Amino acid sequence: MKRRAILLGMIVILSAAMAYDPLYIEDNAMLLDHLQLRVGAAVNYGSSSALFDSEGDKQDFSGDYSMTNMYIPIRLGIGLMNIVDVQFLIPFMSLKYSNGTEMKGSGIADSWFTAKAGVNKSNMYFAGRLGILLPTGDDEPEAGDLATGSGRSDLDIGALFCYRPESITGFGADVNLGYRMKPEKDDYNAGDALQFDIKAGYQITDVLFPYAVLDGQIGLGNAKSGDTEIEDSAVNLFSMGVGAVFQTDMGFGVHGNILYDIAGKNHYAGMDINVGVEYTPQLGN
C-alpha cells in the first residue's frame, strides 16, 4: 500500500513539478542590452525507472513501471535600459506513465513571466529576479489522462550571480538561488521550496563554456490537505550533471546538458537530457 501511494504521488509530481526547471538551468545574472531580444527554444527529455521515497531511499520500479516526459520551453525576452530584462516562457509538454497500461498527457504547460534587474562590475554580474507562474496548463484533464499544469500561480523570487574570466579563457561560475511560493489550490497546499542551480566551468574560448552543475529543490514543509498536514510529504531533489554553452558574437547560441538525480525525497529518480538554441539580435541592427 505504501509503495502504491508513493507511485500515485509521483504521477502528481510528474505532471506539475518537473525536475528540470528552465528558470534556473537556462538563466544567469547577465542582462540583455537595451532593446536586445532573446528568442530561443529547448527540448528536454526525462526518463525514470526509480523513485526516492519519503525516507530518501531509492527504489527501482519493478515490472512495467516507467515514466517519461518531453518538455519544450519557448522563450521570448527583451532588454530595457540595460538594467532590466523581461522574459516570457511558454512550454509544451508530453508525459507518459506506464505500469502495464499507459496514462498520457500532452499540450501547453504552465508558463512563466519574469522580470530581472541587476548591475555588473567588471566581469561580475548581480541580479534579482521575480517570476510569476501563469496556469496555462491543463490541471483538470479527462479521466485517465495526466495533467500538464498545476492550476496555481506560483511566485518565484531569485538572486543570481555570474562570474566570467577577465581574459578570453579562465574559470567561470553561475549561482542561482530562489524561493518559490506555492499558493493553495483546491484545499491543497504543496508547500514552498528553495530552488538552486550552481554551475562551475572553464571558458575554453571566447565562445565556448563547458561546466559542471548541481541543481535541485528543497521543500520547506510538508504538504497540507485543508488543515491536515501530510506527514513526510516534503519534496526534495538533488541533481548533478555536465553541460556547455556555445555563444557567438553574432548572437546565435547553442546549449545542452545532462542531469542525473542523485538524491531526494518523494520524487522520481532519473535522468534529463536538454538541448536548446537561441538568438539574441539587437533591434535596429
Side-chain angles (χ1 to χ4, degrees):
M1 178 64 72
K2 179 182 178 182
R3 186 176 180 82
R4 179 175 180 274
I6 292 173
L7 288 173
L8 290 175
M10 291 306 101
I11 297 175
V12 176
I13 292 170
L14 184 63
S15 302
M18 310 303 294
Y20 181 84
D21 194 324
L23 256 67
Y24 288 82
I25 196 71
E26 290 184 12
D27 202 8
N28 61 30
M30 294 183 185
L31 299 178
L32 297 172
D33 295 334
H34 181 56
L35 297 184
Q36 183 179 29
L37 297 179
R38 181 183 181 186
V39 181
V43 177
N44 172 258
Y45 175 78
S47 63
S48 175
S49 59
L51 61 87
F52 299 113
D53 64 18
S54 60
E55 296 176 353
D57 296 326
K58 187 176 181 179
Q59 301 183 23
D60 292 329
F61 292 155
S62 60
D64 296 325
Y65 286 114
S66 66
M67 297 181 185
T68 59
N69 70 77
M70 188 77 73
Y71 186 74
I72 306 174
I74 310 297
R75 185 187 297 269
L76 177 63
I78 187 170
L80 302 172
M81 305 301 292
N82 294 327
I83 57 171
V84 174
D85 71 40
V86 294
Q87 300 191 43
F88 180 66
L89 188 149
I90 181 167
F92 296 86
M93 181 185 290
S94 177
L95 310 165
K96 183 172 71 173
Y97 167 79
S98 175
N99 64 348
T101 60
E102 289 187 353
M103 298 177 66
K104 297 182 179 180
S106 61
I108 296 175
D110 290 345
S111 305
W112 281 100
F113 176 80
T114 67
K116 183 171 62 176
V119 297
N120 70 284
K121 183 177 182 180
S122 184
N123 55 327
M124 294 186 291
Y125 304 80
F126 305 86
R129 183 187 60 213
L130 180 66
I132 300 175
L133 184 69
L134 307 176
T136 51
D138 184 4
D139 65 309
E140 297 181 353
E142 296 181 2
D145 292 339
L146 294 174
T148 61
S150 65
R152 302 190 312 262
S153 295
D154 294 0
L155 182 66
D156 190 278
I157 302 172
L160 300 85
F161 169 76
C162 176
Y163 172 83
R164 289 296 183 269
E166 294 183 10
S167 59
I168 294 177
T169 64
F171 172 79
D174 296 328
V175 179
N176 298 348
L177 305 174
Y179 179 81
R180 184 161 298 172
M181 292 178 278
K182 305 175 184 179
E184 185 176 293
K185 169 70 167 56
D186 293 336
D187 212 27
Y188 177 81
N189 191 313
D192 296 346
L194 295 177
Q195 307 282 142
F196 66 90
D197 183 83
I198 302 170
K199 298 183 181 76
Y202 192 87
Q203 189 88 33
I204 296 178
T205 70
D206 56 346
V207 297
L208 181 61
F209 177 61
Y211 60 81
V213 57
L214 175 65
D215 184 87
Q217 59 176 301
I218 302 172
L220 297 179
N222 290 325
K224 290 184 178 180
S225 179
D227 295 327
T228 303
E229 184 173 305
I230 304 173
E231 186 177 356
D232 295 327
S233 60
V235 175
N236 296 337
L237 185 67
F238 302 91
S239 307
M240 290 186 67
V242 293
V245 176
F246 177 84
Q247 187 75 42
T248 70
D249 292 337
M250 298 176 64
F252 177 76
V254 179
H255 59 84
N257 53 67
I258 298 175
L259 289 173
Y260 181 75
D261 302 328
I262 58 172
K265 288 185 177 181
N266 298 313
H267 206 291
Y268 74 93
M271 182 174 67
D272 287 273
I273 301 173
N274 176 70
V275 177
V277 295
E278 67 177 40
Y279 183 52
T280 54
Q282 188 80 31
L283 290 183
N285 290 347

